[in-house]
Amino acid sequence: MKIEEIQAKSILVASKLPDADYVINPYTGCQFGCLYCYATFMGRFVNEPRSNWGNYVYVKINAVDVIKRELASWSIEKRKSTVLLSSVTDPYHGVEKKYRLTRGILQALVDVQYPGCVSILTKSPMVLRDVDILKQLPIVDVGLTVTTTDDKLSRFLEVTAPLASRRLDTLGKLNAENIPTYAFVGPLLPHFRYQPKLLEKLFRAIKDSGTRDVYVEHINLPTYVKERIWKTLRNESKEIQDVYEGAETAKHREILGKMVEELIQKYGLRIRLGGTIYHKELPAAGRKTSDVDIREVINKALADNRDVNILYEDSTGNTTERSITPIEWTDFDERKIRAYCHLRKDERQFNINRIRFAELMSKQPSEP
C-alpha cells in the first residue's frame, strides 16, 4: 500500500450531491478497493492510474488546520450547510488509525458548535471510536454502506472493506448510543432481481439493527468500472456474467425499484430522496416532490416537532438547501419563511411551489 503525505488547499468543497452542500474528503484514494467504486477517477488528481485503485492513499496532513481556517471565514448562515464525510473516499479506512484526520475534522466542527447537519458515510466500524465527538455535534447523521448480508460476497466485491456483518453490527451499536443512523444500500447488487429472498434478508437485517432510514442506489457502471469488474467476472459462470450485463437496462431498474418499494413498506423503513436513485440521473433524483408531498412532510414535521430539510428556488432559478425548524413552518407563514431563507428583497413569489424538495430531518430536536 502506497501512502503519501500531501498538502490540501481546501477541505470544504461544494457538492454536486442532492443532499449535501459541501463534502469533506480527508484522503485521496481508498484502501478498501471495492470493485464497483466509481471514485477511481480521483486518481488523475494524484497521477495514479485507475487500475491502481485500492493500492494508494494520499493523506491531506494539513486537513484539520485548513478546515479550522475555512470555518472561521464562514458566516453563521453558511454554517447551516450540510457537510458530508466523505464522497470519494472512506473517512475511516486503515490510515485513519494513524493520522486521525476525520476525528480532528469532527473536533473542529464541535469546537464551533457547527449548526448544520454533519453526515458521515463509511463502511468501517472505526466510526465507533468517535462516538464521544459525534454526541457533541448539534445535528449528526451516520451512515453505513451495506450492500449484502453475505460476508463471502462482501469480500468478493469489496475486497478489503470490513465485512457486511460488522457494518450491520456497527449500525446497531450506533443506535444503542442514540446517534441517528442510515443505511446506504448502494450499489443495489444486480443478482437481487433474481434472488428476492436475499434482498429481503438485507432489508430485514437493516431493520433489526434499529436503523429506519435508507438510501438505495442502482449500480453505476461507467466504462472504467465495467472494465475492472469484468476482469474479475471473466472467470465466473455465464449466468453471473449475464446478470451484470443486463444491470443497466431500464427494465432491470424498474423491477428492482419495485421490489425495494415493497420491502420498504413491509419493514417500516423510510427511503430517502424519494426512491431508488440512479447515479446517471442523480441531479434530478429526489428533487421532484409534488405540492401534496411537500405539505404532507410539513404537516408531519409539525405533528412530530421535527425539522424539515428543503430545497427552494428563487425567481432567478438559483436553488439553496436549508434546514427549517417547526416554528418557521407554523401555518406556512410565507413572510417568515422568506425572511428565514434570506431571499432577495424583491422576491415576491416565494410559496410552496418554489420548494422543489422537502424531507424530514432524521434527528428530532428533543433527542440528545
Side-chain angles (χ1 to χ4, degrees), residues 257-270:
K258 181 63 176 177
M259 292 166 63
V260 168
E261 288 178 15
E262 293 173 354
L263 291 171
I264 290 291
Q265 292 295 322
K266 180 174 181 177
Y267 289 103
L269 302 173
R270 297 182 291 261

Side-chain angles (χ1 to χ4, degrees), residues 315-334:
S315 60
T316 66
N318 294 320
T319 57
T320 302
E321 194 161 337
R322 289 275 191 272
S323 170
I324 298 185
T325 59
I327 190 170
E328 278 86 28
W329 285 119
T330 303
D331 298 324
F332 201 76
D333 185 327
E334 294 178 12

Side-chain angles (χ1 to χ4, degrees), residues 73-115:
S73 70
W74 276 21
S75 66
I76 293 175
E77 187 62 30
K78 194 171 183 179
R79 289 186 185 183
K80 294 177 181 176
S81 302
T82 297
V83 298
L84 170 67
L85 285 100
S86 299
S87 59
V88 288
T89 187
D90 196 295
Y92 286 105
H93 53 178
V95 293
E96 170 65 16
K97 291 180 181 179
K98 174 181 178 180
Y99 289 97
R100 299 167 71 87
L101 295 182
T102 296
R103 184 174 177 87
I105 288 168
L106 291 174
Q107 185 62 60
L109 291 163
V110 167
D111 290 344
V112 298
Q113 277 298 281
Y114 189 80

